[in-house]
Structures are given as C-alpha cells and as structure tokens.
Amino acid sequence: MEGMPLARQVDMVFRKLEEELTDAVAGTVSICIRNNSIGKFGVRHNPIESRDGHLEEAAKGMSAAQVRAFRQMAIDALKLKRNWTHGEIVYDFSVRSGGSGWSASVQYESNYNSSSWIYRNPGTGEASHRSYRGFK
C-alpha cells in the first residue's frame, strides 16, 4: 500500500471489514499507521451478552447503507489528521436501539519511536556527535 494515498487505504480497509461491520451493534475499528501507510487494522466488537449461560439474541446492527456511510465518514475525517505519519486511528461506533440510526467518534493518536531520532541531528539524518549519557 506504500505510495497510495491514506484516504484510499482507509477506503480499502472499510471495504475489507464491510461484512464484519454489517449487523455489528457496536465496537471499535482500529487502524495502525507507519510512514503514512496502514500496517494493521481490525474490529473489536462489543461483547456478546449471555444470561444464565444462554447467549442472547443479537440486536439489530448496522445496515449495509450505514456501513457505507461509516466508511465515507472515516475517509472524510482524515481531513482532520495533521502533520503526523505514525500512529493509530480509532473509530468507535454504535447503532441506536431498533437500528434507526448510528453514531461514531474518531480518535487520532500520533506516536513515534524516539530511538530512531534521538541520536540524529534534526534535519540532517546524520548521527549526532553529542554524548547523551547524562539521561537517567
């Protein structure tokens, strides 16, 4: 997926997860990003409930049209991602009782591995000649 715009990658992720999201009542879609490329993604569904050892009938979840709208919302939300290339995007979603509507929230988390930049001079990519032995 390297070189492909992130919006196209998110579109592909949601298309891959479409069958899993259809009929899901609530959960979380998480996408891990490294160098502006998606490396790992998945869905965490809210737990299946049981009473007295018997599984409950699943409530009505997302329709195919709602999943398509969710995918478009996820792509549109990328416009809010600013100036980072490594991290995670988390989409929490739920369907209102009766399946009449749905809601979702988006959380962005940037993260970096300091071992890859702490010993380098900013902007040069060259190893620094300074000693960092003073860190505790």
Side-chain angles (χ1 to χ4, degrees):
M1 286 209 246
E2 277 187 46
M4 186 183 299
L6 190 56
R8 178 72 180 125
Q9 294 176 57
V10 169
D11 179 65
M12 290 174 63
V13 163
F14 273 81
R15 287 181 190 278
K16 179 75 174 168
L17 296 175
E18 187 169 350
E19 191 173 323
E20 198 171 346
L21 289 171
T22 302
D23 294 325
V25 176
T28 302
V29 174
S30 59
I31 298 175
C32 296
I33 298 170
R34 182 174 168 86
N35 292 327
N36 241 17
S37 292
I38 294 173
K40 185 169 104 170
F41 61 90
V43 178
R44 180 180 300 126
H45 297 277
N46 282 357
I48 298 170
E49 294 187 26
S50 69
R51 297 200 192 277
D52 298 324
H54 300 327
L55 294 176
E56 296 281 320
E57 181 70 28
K60 177 103 174 97
M62 291 186 109
S63 67
Q66 288 171 327
V67 172
R68 286 191 299 275
F70 186 20
R71 181 179 72 232
Q72 188 60 51
M73 184 273 317
I75 293 166
D76 292 344
L78 288 174
K79 295 173 186 166
L80 302 174
K81 177 184 164 291
R82 299 274 188 250
N83 301 322
W84 57 271
T85 58
H86 295 67
E88 185 173 18
I89 305 173
V90 176
Y91 305 92
D92 287 315
F93 67 95
S94 64
V95 177
R96 292 189 197 112
S97 61
S100 62
W102 63 281
S103 62
S105 65
V106 182
Q107 178 180 351
Y108 292 107
E109 176 185 324
S110 64
N111 57 50
Y112 299 92
N113 184 348
S114 65
S115 67
S116 66
W117 58 265
I118 197 165
Y119 299 109
R120 297 186 181 274
N121 286 325
T124 66
E126 298 292 324
S128 175
H129 297 292
R130 295 183 193 164
S131 172
Y132 289 95
R133 286 182 247 170
F135 288 122
K136 294 188 186 227

